[in-house]
Amino acid sequence: MDCLLLDLFISYIKRIKILFLNYITMNFAKRYSSTFKIYRNNKGKVRMDSFQFDKKEVGPMVLDGLNHIKNNLDKTLGFRRSCREGICGSCAMNINGKNTLACLTSIEEKNVIYPLPHMPIIKDLIPDMTNFYKQYKDIKPWLQRNPPYDVFESSKDSEILQHPSDRKKLDGMYECILCACCSTSCPSYWWNSDKGYLGPAVLMQAFRWIEDSRDTQTEERVEYVNDAMKLYRCKTIMNCSNTCPKGLNPGQAIGKLKKKVEEYEVNNHRKTLKIDEIR
């Protein structure tokens, strides 16, 4: 009887040992494995593809995982990438529900990846940015000087000086890399980008040039954005500031831009009143 109980006890211990080892092995494998569920779109044919690989085979970022999939598992996968350092903005996409840069996002156990939302898709994770860049071009994102002096002619003889306090006003805006994460997280931009609304990224850049003390076309720039659709379709939802991978605050910049536009309107109204009084 005692021998039988001893055998049962030993058998029970062995089973527990096997279960424990299996548990440890599974958790160890789970710890180092990663699943990528990726949106695919080829000529309008949409599907979701899943890929699994050992995280030890790749670098730590989502972009490393995408490169691994393209190089080793599916060469047809389409996505943009360039600098790998969060500078170019090429690898902007929606990862686990948030617009961000693949090169700055760590690989998790499960990764669900879509292209930037509400944008026409060229292929897979590649959105068509034509309208976004057109809007950026429309705000004339370069330094403008009154004739007969342009930026280069006047700099031949002397520098275009700027006080440190004026330069500081550009902080938090000039760092924008135009990845479009903020604009494509904005519901107003989803529904009105094709109707004229410029969106958070472009509006912040418009304000960047309005605030630049070296630029002499401030009034013209303010008049351009002073529009019910271009500027005031912003409803201060603040998704833009929440999602910016560079930690910038487009929502705040747009608020300051609205205030600047209102100040110009008040000043112009006062000028009109003075002219009427003189008459």
Side-chain angles (χ1 to χ4, degrees), residues 23-277:
Y23 175 79
I24 294 295
T25 303
M26 287 176 64
N27 275 323
F28 187 80
K30 191 176 181 181
R31 180 182 174 188
Y32 288 103
S33 68
S34 183
T35 301
F36 275 45
K37 193 173 182 181
I38 303 175
Y39 173 90
R40 307 298 299 273
N41 186 332
N42 189 10
K43 298 179 180 179
K45 296 179 180 178
V46 178
R47 69 179 190 273
M48 295 295 291
D49 282 354
S50 292
F51 302 92
Q52 193 166 12
F53 54 84
D54 192 333
K55 284 195 283 188
K56 292 184 291 183
E57 298 176 0
V58 303
M61 301 301 176
V62 169
L63 183 59
D64 297 316
L66 292 173
N67 283 331
H68 175 77
I69 291 170
K70 187 170 182 67
N71 293 335
N72 301 286
L73 304 177
D74 187 347
K75 297 184 183 301
T76 66
L77 177 63
F79 60 94
R80 291 193 180 107
R81 78 281 186 274
S82 184
C83 74
R84 303 178 298 166
E85 298 290 342
I87 296 171
C88 70
S90 299
C91 63
M93 55 191 70
N94 186 283
I95 303 172
N96 292 333
K98 184 175 182 178
N99 293 351
T100 187
L101 301 177
C103 63
L104 298 182
T105 305
S106 298
I107 293 176
E108 298 181 9
E109 181 187 331
K110 294 181 180 179
N111 306 270
V112 181
I113 306 173
Y114 286 89
L116 293 175
H118 292 266
M119 298 278 274
I121 301 300
I122 297 173
K123 183 184 178 185
D124 298 340
L125 303 176
I126 306 174
D128 187 345
M129 308 281 281
T130 303
N131 185 53
F132 178 79
Y133 288 129
K134 179 187 178 300
Q135 291 175 322
Y136 181 57
K137 181 181 178 182
D138 287 344
I139 65 166
K140 299 180 180 179
W142 55 82
L143 193 63
Q144 298 184 75
R145 304 281 288 176
N146 283 333
Y149 307 104
D150 66 23
V151 175
F152 302 104
E153 286 296 326
S154 61
S155 63
K156 287 180 179 179
D157 302 319
S158 61
E159 296 180 86
I160 304 174
L161 299 178
Q162 186 175 46
H163 194 275
S165 61
D166 290 325
R167 167 61 185 79
K168 192 172 178 60
K169 293 178 182 178
L170 308 182
D171 289 347
M173 295 189 289
Y174 81 89
E175 301 96 329
C176 175
I177 58 175
L178 296 172
C179 64
C181 284
C182 62
S183 291
T184 54
S185 70
C186 173
S188 291
Y189 192 75
W190 295 347
W191 314 130
N192 300 294
S193 61
D194 59 341
K195 299 180 181 70
Y197 176 50
L198 297 178
V202 174
L203 285 174
M204 184 167 71
Q205 289 308 299
F207 186 54
R208 175 254 180 275
W209 292 104
I210 287 171
E211 280 289 85
D212 197 318
S213 61
R214 301 165 298 175
D215 193 274
T216 57
Q217 302 298 313
T218 303
E219 189 169 349
E220 290 78 358
R221 292 183 186 277
V222 169
E223 288 176 358
Y224 178 76
V225 298
N226 187 13
D227 181 85
M229 182 59 74
K230 290 175 184 174
L231 173 59
Y232 290 100
R233 277 290 166 173
C234 169
K235 304 303 179 183
T236 323
I237 298 170
M238 300 303 287
N239 282 2
C240 52
S241 299
N242 180 56
T243 199
C244 177
K246 302 295 287 185
L248 307 182
N249 195 342
Q252 183 185 63
I254 294 171
K256 291 180 178 179
L257 175 57
K258 289 177 179 178
K259 186 177 180 181
K260 178 75 75 173
V261 170
E262 289 169 5
E263 289 173 355
Y264 263 82
E265 286 185 335
V266 169
N267 290 335
N268 287 336
H269 181 63
R270 287 174 179 170
K271 288 178 183 177
T272 303
L273 290 175
K274 286 183 179 178
I275 292 171
D276 290 341
E277 287 175 2

